[in-house]
């Protein structure tokens, strides 16, 4: 093994970097080579068995793939790129990781130190550019600083509220030699990743819940990031608290759990949105009160006492006034509150969700998922795929109508089973994220739902699938429109479909050109057989389904209105 180096052995900065990655248990790197990072790729040649390199077709895809890998595995994703455009191409992925709290380390090459500030070929200040969208961004100019910088980067990326870190390595730092010694980072002065638990807040939260008649929990990705799924179930089950989830919290509670009342937000389920403005205690757990969840803040949960569990002090009170902030990792804070909760029965409150749920089923869900319409619907495809996988698959989505349908109509039994671009809403995220997810969870089925628009923003990554033999299942929900924008144009812009109709290629032939098996379905009677063929195929597969051109995602809460202002039909 190459990483069995003697302490203080003199080796190149490039090899120090690779050994440091191995010390942080990195097994996969997503990247694209170039001149300023070439010494690292040269060193990587000798580490093929220890570090798998996935050659993407675009640097943005390297970060999205690292995100998918991190989200499904719980580890830190790593991307490796060159300077100049290689580095700037990562910014969208970095920003996406920042707002969605995904731990990734992006390593970029840089010109030699003597040329810094001279506008040398492919020189760009990636540290300055990336600082607003990273937890930490740092340039390494000396080989002896590399091990220290990597240790800091991984510690910052994975601790507290996770997020992206950028390390920029000058070429001379990669080529120079230094003594190798690695020590994992355990703390950084002035950086407090997790606040201390406040016992008074714990007590106040428990008292508020115990005295509540209609408590309601809003659950986000923070539970998943804290690996606190069991602690959450213990909490809501003891106090019989109905719960709903944000988009990124979709797989935190099993779909069939009796206390799971569905998705929050603009295209969420009717009952949880209405009950937000009816409950007497609102318990936010690892979520940040995004505007897509809250709607008009002046009309949001004004009747409720609000408890907010979060690891990031900056989030409590940022958007919504909080009565009881409970700071800390929810894996630690939830059990402390659970100890103080009374076992109660809240059957009347829990069952009250059923009235709105039935209304939504009758007006929206039944028609959407059971083939009541003339044309195949997106929700119908999602339901069929989910059922065919036994609800065990990792569901990845792109952004748009496919995303909302994927969240609404797939079911999930296991944690870390739903991956999507939440806060940034990045079209093109889906395909590379699915690649990363499949590599991060090779024994799980990974199904990607994407639209005909989003897939074409990163369709070159079919080449990555071909070269690295990534067995991801791709389902294109083709409505020949930029569907979500078209929906807004139909509802709010007098059906003026400006720049939303799509003229598309033959996706199946395109897939076949990348040696990926594919099939197109336009008739309902062919759908289940095609899904079965896709799942049985031992390899990547692209299934294109022609769906209703002007399908709508309902319910919908118009932007800027109250969460109770729900539209169920045209």
């Amino acid at each position: 093994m190459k990483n069995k180096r003697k302490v203080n052995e003199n080796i190149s900065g490039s090899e120090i970097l690779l050994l440091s990655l191995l010390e942080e248990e990195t097994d996969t790197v997503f990247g694209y080579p170039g001149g300023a990072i070439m010494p690292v790729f040269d060193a990587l040649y000798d580490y093929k068995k220890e570090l798998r390199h996935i050659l993407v077709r675009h640097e943005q895809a390297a970060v999205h793939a690292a995100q998918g890998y991190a989200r499904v595995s719980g580890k830190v994703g790593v991307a490796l790129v060159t300077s100049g455009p290689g580095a700037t191409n990562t910014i969208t992925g970095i920003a996406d990781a920042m707002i969605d709290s995904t731990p990734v380390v992006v390593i970029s090459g840089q010109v030699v130190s003597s040329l810094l500030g001279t506008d040398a070929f492919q020189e760009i200040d990636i540290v300055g550019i990336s600082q607003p969208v990273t937890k930490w961004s740092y340039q390494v100019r000396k080989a002896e600083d590399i091990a220290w910088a990597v240790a800091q980067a991984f510690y910052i990326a994975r601790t507290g509220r996770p997020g992206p870190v950028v390390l920029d390595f000058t070429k001379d730092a990669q080529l120079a030699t230094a003594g190798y010694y690695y020590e994992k980072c355990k703390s950084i002065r002035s950086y407090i990743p997790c606040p201390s638990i406040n016992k008074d807040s714990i007590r106040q939260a428990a008292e508020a819940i115990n005295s509540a008649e209609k408590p309601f929990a809003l659950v986000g990705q923070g539970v998943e990031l804290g690996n606190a799924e069991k602690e959450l179930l213990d909490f809501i089950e003891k106090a019989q608290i109905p719960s709903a989830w944000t988009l990124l919290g979709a797989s935190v509670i099993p779909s069939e759990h009796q206390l799971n009342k569905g998705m929050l937000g603009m295209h969420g389920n009717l009952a949880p949105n209405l009950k937000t403005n009816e409950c007497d205690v609102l318990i936010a757990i690892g979520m940040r009160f995004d505007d897509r969840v809250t709607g008009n803040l002046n009309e949001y949960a004004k009747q409720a006492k609000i408890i907010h569990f979060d690891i990031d002090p900056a989030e409590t009170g940022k958007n919504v006034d909080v009565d009881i902030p409970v700071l800390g990792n929810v894996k630690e804070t939830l059990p402390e509150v659970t100890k103080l909760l009374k076992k109660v029965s809240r059957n009347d409150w829990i069952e009250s969700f059923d009235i709105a749920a039935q209304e939504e089923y009758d007006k929206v869900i039944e028609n959407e998922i059971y083939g009541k319409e003339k044309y195949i619907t997106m929700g119908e495809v999602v339901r069929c795929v989910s059922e065919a996988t036994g609800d065990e698959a990792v569901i990845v989505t792109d952004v748009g109508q496919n995303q909302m349908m994927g969240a609404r109509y797939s079911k999930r039994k296991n944690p870390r089973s739903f991956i999507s671009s939440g806060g940034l809403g990045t079209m093109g995220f889906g395909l590379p994220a699915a690649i990363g997810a499949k590599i991060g969870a090779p024994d799980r089925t990974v199904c990607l739902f994407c639209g005909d628009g989003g897939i074409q923003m990163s369709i070159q990554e079919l080449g990555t699938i071909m070269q690295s033999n990534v067995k991801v299942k791709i389902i294109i929900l083709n409505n020949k429109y930029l569907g979500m924008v078209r929906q807004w144009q139909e509802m709010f812009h007098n059906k003026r479909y400006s720049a939303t109709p799509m003229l598309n290629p033959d996706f199946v032939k395109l897939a076949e050109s990348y040696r990926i098996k594919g099939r197109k379905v336009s008739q309902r009677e062919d759908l289940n057989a095609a899904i079965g063929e896709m799942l049985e195929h031992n390899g990547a597969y692209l299934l294109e389904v022609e769906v209703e051109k002007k399908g709508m995602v309902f319910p919908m809460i118009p932007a800027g209105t109250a969460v109770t202002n729900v539209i169920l039909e045209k």
Side-chain angles (χ1 to χ4, degrees), residues 285-302:
I285 307 171
M287 55 87 74
R288 57 187 180 84
F289 289 111
D290 177 79
D291 64 285
R292 284 297 190 262
V293 166
T294 65
N296 186 345
L297 289 171
N298 293 323
E299 300 179 58
Y300 183 77
K302 293 302 180 182

Side-chain angles (χ1 to χ4, degrees), residues 58-285:
H58 192 280
E59 292 89 353
Q60 179 178 333
V63 186
H64 291 327
Q67 288 177 272
Y69 174 92
R71 296 265 287 273
V72 78
S73 70
K75 300 172 65 175
V76 177
V78 179
L80 181 65
V81 302
T82 194
S83 64
T88 57
N89 282 344
T90 67
I91 293 298
T92 297
I94 293 169
D96 193 287
M98 185 66 176
I99 200 166
D100 282 353
S101 303
T102 307
V104 296
V105 172
V106 177
I107 298 166
S108 60
Q110 185 56 273
V111 301
V112 296
S113 300
S114 60
L115 292 180
L116 289 172
T118 69
D119 293 330
F121 177 66
Q122 292 192 335
E123 180 196 0
I124 198 74
D125 180 10
I126 192 62
V127 171
I129 290 172
S130 64
Q131 277 181 339
V133 289
T134 53
K135 286 187 73 178
W136 188 49
S137 192
Y138 185 77
Q139 186 175 81
V140 181
R141 301 183 186 183
K142 296 180 180 179
E144 53 263 36
D145 294 336
I146 290 176
W148 168 86
V150 171
Q152 297 266 122
F154 274 77
Y155 178 73
I156 292 170
R158 68 161 64 99
T159 56
R161 180 177 179 174
V165 170
V166 166
L167 288 179
D168 190 42
F169 291 87
T170 62
K171 195 168 185 178
D172 48 318
Q174 300 169 45
L175 291 167
T177 60
Y180 173 68
Y181 173 73
Y182 196 83
E183 182 177 1
K184 284 194 175 184
C185 180
K186 297 179 180 178
S187 66
I188 297 173
R189 188 177 64 180
S190 79
Y191 171 57
I192 303 172
C194 187
S196 300
I197 295 176
N198 184 303
K199 293 294 184 181
D200 285 340
S201 294
I202 297 293
R203 176 185 52 77
Q204 290 172 28
E207 288 176 353
I209 296 168
N210 285 333
S211 62
E213 294 183 2
K214 299 178 178 181
F216 184 30
L218 314 183
V219 182
Q221 187 191 200
V223 174
E224 184 173 271
L225 294 172
N227 298 308
E229 291 87 354
K230 180 183 182 302
E231 289 78 6
L232 174 69
L233 291 180
D234 290 343
F235 172 81
I236 63 173
E237 287 172 356
K238 184 175 181 180
Q240 288 294 287
I241 303 171
S243 305
W245 37 271
T246 66
L247 179 67
L248 296 189
S251 59
V252 167
I253 307 175
S255 298
E256 296 298 322
H257 195 285
Q258 63 173 350
L259 294 172
N260 185 342
K261 298 303 178 182
M263 185 169 79
L264 297 160
M266 179 175 282
H267 292 290
N269 295 108
L270 176 62
N273 281 321
L274 295 182
K275 294 299 183 180
T276 296
N277 276 13
E278 186 180 329
C279 65
D280 55 3
V281 174
L282 190 68
I283 310 158
I285 307 171

